[in-house]
Amino acid sequence: FVTLGRRRIGRSDKRGNNFAAGLLAGRAVAHVLSLGRRPVVGVINRKRPMKTRELGDGLKVSAIGLGCMGMGQVYGTALEAGDAHKVLAKAVELGVTFFDTAEVYGPFTNEEVVGEALEPVRDQVVIATKFGFDIESGKQGGLNSRPDHIRQVVEASLKRLRTDRIDLLYQH
């Protein structure tokens, strides 16, 4: 098993391959993203470098990405920020460079946790986030993809993510 502190966050096979998908710290689900033509098997081998994929016109990302939605209360109790930071740091250590979040996760708190954890390694990772909802009084409202709203969301996301750029922005 791969451990986070005293908690198991995944399992290893006999050759030391770590399975990235599964329960993280017993409370959040990691999403293994399939990029490119073939689905990516959720295995990280510490002995070989992480494979990469190219998105669009030159955005290079790890073949296995981490969807960060599950670090919030979406799947039950949210991870403590410190535990989420450990999960994100471990993912970077294992070669994951692609992290996905959204303003609606929390709302807002997921971007804050991701931004805080990835700030020290910002130039080594790709951060994706999403727009598309009105968030009123901390609750998801209706859809909103008006240009002025997108500008507001991007400005707020940049602050929460503690960065000067969003590598991949897309509509939720």
Side-chain angles (χ1 to χ4, degrees):
F1 278 86
V2 178
T3 60
L4 172 65
R6 290 186 220 150
R7 297 183 199 149
R8 293 177 177 178
I9 63 169
R11 66 174 199 251
S12 299
D13 66 13
K14 293 177 184 174
R15 293 175 302 206
N17 294 317
N18 299 322
F19 292 82
L23 294 179
L24 293 178
R27 292 183 277 176
V29 176
H31 298 276
V32 177
L33 304 178
S34 295
L35 304 173
R37 294 181 185 186
R38 295 182 181 164
V40 175
V41 177
V43 175
I44 298 174
N45 185 327
R46 292 177 194 241
K47 296 173 186 159
R48 290 187 302 232
M50 173 71 72
K51 291 182 181 182
T52 60
R53 303 287 188 267
E54 191 172 305
L55 302 180
D57 192 21
L59 184 61
K60 189 175 177 182
V61 300
S62 56
I64 298 174
L66 180 61
C68 299
M69 179 178 76
M71 292 182 189
Q73 80 288 357
V74 176
Y75 296 113
T77 306
L79 286 177
E80 296 292 327
D83 287 342
H85 292 173
K86 289 175 186 176
V87 169
L88 291 160
K90 187 65 170 182
V92 171
E93 178 187 325
L94 293 171
V96 174
T97 63
F98 188 47
F99 297 87
D100 177 81
T101 185
E103 68 160 354
V104 75
Y105 303 159
F108 312 125
T109 55
N110 194 269
E111 283 185 332
E112 292 167 352
V113 168
V114 169
E116 185 176 1
L118 296 180
E119 186 176 29
V121 294
R122 180 60 183 101
D123 291 333
Q124 300 167 34
V125 298
V126 171
I127 297 175
T129 193
K130 299 173 273 311
F131 67 91
F133 296 103
D134 272 326
I135 298 172
E136 301 164 7
S137 303
K139 304 244 187 228
Q140 179 182 324
L143 302 176
N144 188 344
S145 295
R146 293 188 324 267
D148 60 323
H149 181 69
I150 295 169
R151 278 189 286 280
Q152 292 169 359
V153 168
V154 167
E155 288 301 320
S157 290
L158 287 167
K159 289 177 185 166
R160 287 188 294 270
L161 291 167
R162 298 181 179 204
T163 188
D164 61 348
R165 67 195 179 281
I166 295 170
D167 302 301
L168 179 61
L169 176 70
Y170 54 108
Q171 186 167 1
H172 213 147

